[in-house]
């Protein structure tokens, strides 16, 4: 068994935040940091259990013990010894100093100290830096800083610094982000507060694994310690929320608790202790027992806020904007102007929204929801109500604006502006089936009770990616005004018939003729002789027939039918020999590839309002600028020099600059989630059996096609997904119960 102290020189392999362990190299040093043997170095393999969550960084000192094997190597003509160590234990002796470096660099009190100077102080002094600061040792600090800066740092430290807490955070292995959070909240009381109850860290999004290990190994917490069990419930509630639920039934909670605490043993029968822990845990306010099981406190607060926003509008007096006869007159004028005729369902939806301060307008693809909104806006205009149009995604907001001829924004952008609305306004939220409880909660906070609210969407399309349900839950409340549109007006034919069938949970009979309007091309999930996915290759063959009119929609990002696989194959077959988009790498002092080529379709993955792009915007690279080195003039912003030019789906040609490169990806294939609300003439949908596949996803994909949709893959899996209840039905929420309870309790 070898035991030595090493200074880390390089990282060969490391999982994010230490999960999965690390392989690093180091030099043997003495207790003062002097290299003991320049002709030898160590390669240490340490697993995640050994390291915990500590991130191994160059410059750290680690005391390592474990089985070691030596081998001799010749490097640049010199004979060196490499020791390979399987670490049985690893103790961080001297951290990299990330906590104190960050503290000095980020705290406004140390205005003359930036990241570079703070790092120099740590590199030069190490742990002696704490001593120098606590003692206001200007002379020692002045070995790195100017005397003036040293004096200012010493003076500021006497008021704002706390070496004990910073050292404690480092010794306990807290990563920088977590250290910042707890230090900001608890300040100098951090060690005492966490020693008293280490499970407080769960409130700062720390992992259960990290917190529980700290509590049990450092503070001697027993397995059946009541606060540990309460912490486990908090963690289970957090995981419940992360999985999309806002509440958990008893059975669901127990399933999540087993994932946290593990299976019961003869000495630790935790299931018997949970009722008491639940009762005791209610006092600390981290979770509550609500109308529908155990809820994280945050989830309950958000659902209660939304419930109040709905019930207050339902109970408001004098909600009708005008008489029914006046609405009818406006609708006749609108029909004459637009050359259309509204059906009974559409007329009823307009009347509902004009008569109530809160209303839902739902329906599948092609039923005319946009037509209803445009007609409804005539009523609002006549009544002096200003319309605010919102959608979840940037692309959806853009489509909403184009369809109605009125300004539209994303919910995120509206929230970012933070302007409270009061008075004669109506907020209309489109594609509301995908709005989660967090977004709805924040939106309701900005709307005064006198602001009207209309949610439009299709509950049979995709549910929210984030937690909770809004539209789906509200539909379950009979008192909520609901204008349901069922008659398809926009298109018909085989695609519409198949969509209606899928919507009802019935798998339609489809041909395998790739020339039909809708067809299913059976394809096994196998590899070809070249090692590529047969499904992906079949999709590529079909794409080649009409690439200009086609969009590939995948159910997921990974896998043989995923976005990444298909995009890679499509690019290799279409633009592999074309000019590449390159960017200058300062790290390697050379041009590097961005992964995009001339002629590639590209997808924007974040909102860039200053550039006229939204999350979901699609374009095509039409021109490549010659690769360039950084400009000599420091005043020039090199990041704004075009790398290439793309023609976007709004018809505008825009430059691609360096700071955009990480937010653009290939767009031959996009996820169905990115496609909701859009349409293309021809759509190809690869499908295999996996946990994400369900009826709503297939229905959404099929209804994106205007003229043709080709489904490729496993028909049995697709049929099973359509005939099974959609995943949204398994999501546990309490919003509808809260609204019903509030309405029932009204006099």
């Amino acid at each position: 068994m070898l035991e030595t102290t090493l200074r880390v020189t390089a990282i060969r392999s490391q999982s994010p935040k230490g999960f999965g362990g690390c392989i690093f190299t180091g030099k043997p040093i003495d207790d003062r940091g002097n290299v003991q043997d320049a002709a030898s170095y160590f390669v240490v393999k340490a697993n995640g259990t050994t390291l915990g969550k500590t991130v191994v960084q160059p410059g750290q000192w680690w005391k390592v013990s474990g089985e070691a094997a030596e081998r001799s190597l010749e490097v640049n003509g010199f004979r060196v010894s490499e020791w390979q160590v399987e670490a049985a234990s690893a103790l961080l002796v001297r951290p990299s100093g990330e906590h104190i470096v960050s503290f000095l660099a980020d705290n406004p009190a140390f205005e003359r100290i930036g990241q570079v100077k703070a790092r120099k102080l740590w590199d030069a002094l190490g742990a002696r830096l704490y001593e120098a600061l606590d003692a206001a040792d200007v002379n020692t600090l002045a070995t790195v800083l100017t005397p003036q800066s040293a004096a200012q740092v010493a003076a500021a430290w006497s008021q704002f610094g706390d070496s004990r807490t910073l050292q404690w955070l480092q010794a306990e292995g807290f990563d920088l982000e977590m250290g910042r959070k707890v230090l900001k909240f608890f300040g100098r009381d951090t060690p005492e507060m966490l020693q008293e109850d280490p499970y407080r860290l769960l409130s700062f999004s720390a992992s259960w694994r990290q917190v529980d290990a700290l509590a049990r190994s450092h503070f001697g917490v027993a397995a059946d310690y009541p606060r540990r069990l309460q912490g486990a419930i908090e963690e289970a509630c957090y995981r419940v929320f992360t999985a999309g639920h806002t509440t958990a039934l008893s059975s669901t909670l127990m399933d999540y608790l087993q994932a946290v605490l593990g299976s019961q043993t003869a000495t630790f029968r935790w299931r018997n202790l949970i009722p008491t822990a639940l009762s005791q845990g209610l006092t600390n306010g981290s979770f509550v027992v609500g109308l529908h099981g155990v809820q994280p406190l945050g989830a309950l607060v958000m659902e209660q806020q939304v419930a109040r926003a709905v019930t207050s509008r339902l109970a408001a007096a004098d909600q009708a904007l005008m008489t029914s006869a006046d609405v009818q007159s406006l609708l006749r004028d609108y029909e004459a102007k637009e050359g259309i005729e509204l059906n009974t369902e559409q007329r009823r939806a307009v009347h509902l929204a004009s008569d109530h301060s809160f209303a839902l307008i739902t329906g599948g693809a092609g039923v005319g929801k946009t037509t209803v909104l445009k007609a409804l806006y005539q009523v609002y205009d006549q009544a002096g109500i200003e319309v605010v149009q919102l959608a979840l995604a940037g692309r959806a907001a853009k489509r909403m604006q184009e369809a109605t001829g009125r300004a539209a924004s994303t919910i995120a952008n509206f929230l970012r502006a933070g302007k409270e609305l009061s008075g004669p306004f109506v907020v209309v939220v489109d594609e509301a089936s995908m709005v989660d409880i967090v977004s709805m909660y924040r939106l309701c906070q900005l709307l005064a009770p006198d602001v009207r609210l209309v949610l439009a969407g299709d509950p049979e399309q995709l549910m929210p990616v984030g937690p909770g349900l809004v539209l789906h839950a509200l539909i379950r409340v009979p008192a909520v005004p609901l204008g349901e549109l069922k008659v398809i007006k926009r298109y018909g034919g085989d695609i519409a018939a198949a969509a209606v069938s899928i919507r009802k949970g019935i798998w339609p009979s489809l041909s395998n003729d790739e020339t039909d309007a809708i067809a299913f091309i059976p394809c096994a999930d196998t590899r070809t002789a070249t090692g590529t996915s047969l499904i992906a290759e079949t999709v590529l063959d079909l794409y080649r027939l009409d690439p200009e009119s086609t969009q590939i929609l995948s159910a997921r990002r990974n896998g043989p039918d995923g976005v990444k696989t298909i995009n890679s194959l499509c690019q290799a077959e279409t633009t592999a020999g074309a000019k590449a988009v390159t960017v200058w790498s300062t790290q390697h002092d050379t041009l590097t590839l961005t992964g995009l080529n001339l002629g590639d379709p590209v997808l924007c993955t974040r909102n860039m309002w200053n550039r006229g792009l939204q999350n979901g915007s699609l374009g095509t690279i039409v021109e490549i600028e010659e690769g360039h080195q950084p400009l000599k003039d420091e005043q020039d912003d090199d990041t704004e020099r075009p790398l290439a030019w793309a023609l976007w789906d709004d018809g505008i040609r825009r430059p691609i600059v360096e700071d955009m490169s990480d937010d653009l990806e290939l767009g031959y294939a996009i996820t169905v989630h990115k496609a909701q609300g859009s349409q293309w003439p021809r759509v190809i949908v690869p499908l295999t059996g996996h946990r994400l596949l369900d009826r709503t996803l297939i229905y959404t994909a099929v209804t994106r096609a205007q003229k043709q949709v080709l489904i490729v893959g496993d028909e049995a899996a697709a049929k099973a997904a359509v005939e099974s209840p959609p995943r949204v039905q398994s999501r546990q929420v309490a919003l509808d119960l809260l609204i019903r309870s509030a309405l029932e309790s009204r006099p």
Side-chain angles (χ1 to χ4, degrees):
M1 181 75 71
L2 179 130
E3 183 174 296
T4 185
T5 301
L6 305 172
R7 183 176 67 228
V8 180
T9 56
I11 309 298
R12 289 191 177 180
S13 174
Q14 181 162 253
S15 298
K17 297 186 178 180
F19 292 116
C22 179
I23 301 174
F24 63 90
T25 61
K27 287 282 188 179
I29 58 175
D30 59 22
D31 56 4
R32 300 184 64 181
N34 299 315
V35 177
Q36 292 181 312
D37 184 1
S40 67
Y41 70 98
F42 289 73
V43 180
V44 180
K45 183 178 181 181
N47 60 33
T49 303
T50 302
L51 296 175
K53 200 179 179 183
T54 303
V55 177
V56 180
Q57 297 174 329
Q60 292 176 336
W61 297 6
W62 284 86
K63 188 174 184 179
V64 176
S65 64
E67 297 295 330
E70 183 184 14
R71 65 174 185 153
S72 185
L73 302 171
E74 187 172 305
V75 181
N76 296 329
F78 295 92
R79 181 67 57 180
V80 299
S81 293
E82 177 185 286
W83 289 87
Q84 298 181 339
V85 184
E86 290 280 346
S89 68
L91 176 66
L92 182 62
V93 178
R94 171 174 159 176
S96 61
E98 64 265 27
H99 290 288
I100 191 169
V101 169
S102 174
F103 185 83
L104 293 173
D106 298 341
N107 195 318
F110 304 92
E111 58 181 353
R112 293 184 177 271
I113 303 295
Q115 190 76 24
V116 174
K117 290 182 180 178
R119 177 59 62 186
K120 285 182 178 179
L121 280 168
W122 174 260
D123 290 342
L125 302 176
R128 290 193 297 135
L129 176 58
Y130 296 111
E131 300 170 6
L133 290 168
D134 287 344
D137 187 350
V138 175
N139 291 332
T140 298
L141 297 174
T143 61
V144 181
L145 307 174
T146 65
Q148 182 183 7
S149 294
Q152 290 174 337
V153 168
W157 182 263
S158 67
Q159 299 181 58
F160 300 100
D162 182 14
S163 64
R164 183 182 67 95
T165 300
L166 289 168
Q167 286 177 299
W168 187 85
L169 289 171
Q170 291 179 339
E172 299 297 341
F174 285 87
D175 62 37
L176 180 59
E177 182 181 359
M178 185 59 60
R180 281 173 172 166
K181 289 180 180 178
V182 296
L183 190 62
K184 182 178 181 181
F185 191 83
F186 293 124
R188 299 187 180 196
D189 296 329
T190 297
E192 288 77 12
M193 296 299 291
L194 297 187
Q195 286 169 352
E196 177 187 316
D197 183 5
Y199 295 95
R200 285 178 168 135
L201 285 170
L202 294 171
S203 301
F204 297 92
S205 301
S207 74
W208 168 261
R209 177 182 174 186
Q210 179 191 17
V211 174
D212 197 46
L214 179 72
R216 302 199 68 188
S217 63
H218 290 267
F219 303 133
V221 172
D224 59 354
Y225 178 54
R227 185 62 186 93
R228 179 175 186 255
L229 296 175
Q230 294 164 28
I233 297 172
E234 292 176 40
E235 174 67 15
C237 285
Y238 170 77
R239 296 186 184 185
V240 163
F241 190 67
T242 303
H245 312 289
T246 59
T247 189
L249 298 172
S250 176
S251 58
T252 304
L253 182 66
M254 287 298 183
D255 289 342
Y256 278 89
L257 278 170
Q258 180 156 331
V260 174
L261 295 171
S263 300
Q264 293 195 130
T265 65
T267 57
F268 182 40
R269 305 194 66 81
W270 56 263
R271 288 179 179 268
N272 300 333
L273 305 174
I274 293 302
T276 301
L278 270 171
S279 176
Q280 294 174 344
L282 295 177
T283 60
N284 67 21
S286 58
F287 55 84
V288 295
V289 178
L291 294 170
H292 192 55
V294 180
Q295 285 193 271
L297 179 61
L300 175 63
V301 168
M302 287 186 283
E303 288 193 323
Q304 285 179 330
Q305 173 72 32
V306 175
R308 283 194 294 270
V310 173
T311 54
S312 65
R313 286 168 172 78
L314 294 180
D318 302 323
Q319 298 180 47
L321 295 174
M322 58 185 68
T323 66
S324 177
D326 288 339
V327 173
Q328 289 281 43
S329 177
L330 283 173
L331 292 182
R332 285 193 295 270
D333 292 343
Y334 173 74
E335 290 173 318
K337 178 183 176 182
E338 297 293 324
I340 62 171
E341 183 177 351
L342 300 173
N343 61 33
T344 302
E345 293 175 348
Q346 292 173 317
R347 287 177 175 274
R348 180 176 178 274
V350 173
H351 279 276
L352 275 173
S354 66
D355 288 344
H356 297 88
S357 294
F358 182 84
L360 308 177
I361 299 174
T362 68
V367 296
K369 291 190 294 293
T370 300
T371 301
V372 169
L373 291 180
K374 291 173 69 176
L376 178 60
Y377 294 168
Q378 307 304 306
V379 177
Y380 291 141
D381 290 344
Q382 183 67 28
I385 305 293
E386 185 173 344
V387 177
V388 177
Q389 295 192 127
L390 300 177
L392 190 65
R395 188 174 175 86
K398 176 187 168 185
R399 292 189 300 271
M400 193 180 189
Q401 182 168 318
E402 293 172 346
T404 64
R406 299 172 184 246
S409 169
T410 64
I411 295 175
N413 205 41
F414 180 81
L415 296 174
R416 194 178 298 113
K419 181 181 179 181
E420 296 184 7
L421 287 187
S422 178
F425 287 93
V426 58
V427 173
V428 180
V429 181
D430 199 16
E431 302 293 346
S433 69
M434 291 190 66
V435 177
D436 59 32
I437 192 64
V438 179
S439 299
M440 196 65 196
Y441 161 72
R442 295 181 63 197
L443 176 62
C444 290
Q445 285 184 305
L446 293 179
L447 306 182
D450 59 350
V451 176
R452 303 172 79 91
L453 189 57
V454 175
L455 305 185
D458 183 2
E460 300 300 326
Q461 293 194 37
L462 301 174
M463 68 177 175
V465 175
L469 297 172
V470 177
L471 183 68
H472 302 80
L474 291 169
I475 290 172
R476 297 199 291 257
V477 181
V480 173
L482 171 62
E484 190 175 9
L485 309 177
K486 298 179 181 180
V487 179
I488 297 175
K489 296 176 67 73
R490 186 174 66 210
Y491 69 99
D494 293 341
I495 296 177
V500 170
S501 181
I502 292 170
R503 186 182 177 91
K504 294 178 179 178
I506 302 170
W507 180 248
S509 178
L510 302 177
S511 79
N512 59 5
D513 186 345
E514 63 190 44
T515 65
D516 286 349
I518 180 168
F520 199 107
I521 313 300
C523 188
D525 180 10
T526 58
R527 297 286 175 178
T528 66
T530 60
T532 58
S533 164
L534 180 60
I535 290 177
E537 287 200 353
T538 304
V539 168
L540 175 62
D541 290 340
L542 295 171
Y543 177 78
R544 287 195 188 106
L545 298 176
D546 189 6
E548 298 299 323
S549 304
T550 303
Q551 182 60 58
I552 303 168
L553 303 181
S554 297
R556 53 181 174 169
R557 292 190 59 79
N558 300 306
D561 59 335
V563 165
K564 293 181 180 179
T565 299
I566 294 174
N567 273 331
S568 178
L569 184 61
C570 287
Q571 184 187 53
E573 292 292 320
T574 55
T575 67
K579 283 187 177 181
V581 181
T582 58
V583 63
W584 186 262
S585 170
T586 55
Q587 180 180 358
H588 301 99
D589 200 33
T590 186
L591 289 169
T592 58
L593 299 174
T594 63
L596 304 175
N597 298 334
L598 181 66
D600 280 337
V602 289
L603 173 72
C604 178
T605 59
R606 73 175 172 93
N607 292 324
M608 303 184 208
W609 301 107
N610 59 324
R611 304 188 186 280
L613 299 174
Q614 298 85 42
N615 186 355
S617 292
L618 287 165
T620 303
I621 298 176
V622 294
E623 184 182 348
I624 305 291
E625 294 282 352
E626 295 297 326
H628 60 273
Q629 298 186 16
L631 300 174
K632 302 295 183 183
D633 188 351
E634 295 183 357
Q635 299 301 313
D636 290 326
D637 187 0
D638 191 61
T639 63
E640 290 298 314
R641 295 181 65 192
L643 308 174
W645 294 82
L647 182 64
W648 294 93
D649 48 10
D650 59 0
I652 298 177
R653 188 174 183 268
R654 297 182 178 90
I656 296 174
V657 298
E658 182 178 340
D659 69 353
M660 296 171 59
S661 57
D662 291 337
D663 302 302
L664 298 178
E665 61 183 46
L666 293 172
Y668 296 93
I670 65 175
T671 63
V672 178
H673 281 83
K674 292 290 187 184
Q676 183 159 345
S678 297
Q679 282 204 311
W680 294 269
R682 183 171 181 258
V683 167
I684 301 174
V685 186
L687 292 178
T688 61
H690 54 83
R691 64 180 184 83
L692 296 178
L693 188 63
D694 81 340
R695 182 193 308 169
T696 60
L697 192 145
I698 297 174
Y699 173 75
T700 302
V702 167
T703 54
R704 299 312 93 197
Q706 296 170 315
K707 296 180 179 179
Q708 186 184 42
V709 55
L710 301 176
I711 309 173
V712 180
D714 186 346
E715 188 169 11
K719 182 175 184 292
V722 167
E723 294 178 348
S724 301
R727 289 190 302 125
V728 68
Q729 294 186 14
S730 64
R731 184 168 284 193
Q732 298 173 18
V733 302
L735 177 60
D736 53 324
L737 299 175
L738 289 168
I739 295 174
R740 289 188 184 194
S741 177
L743 292 173
E744 290 170 359
S745 64
R746 288 182 176 274

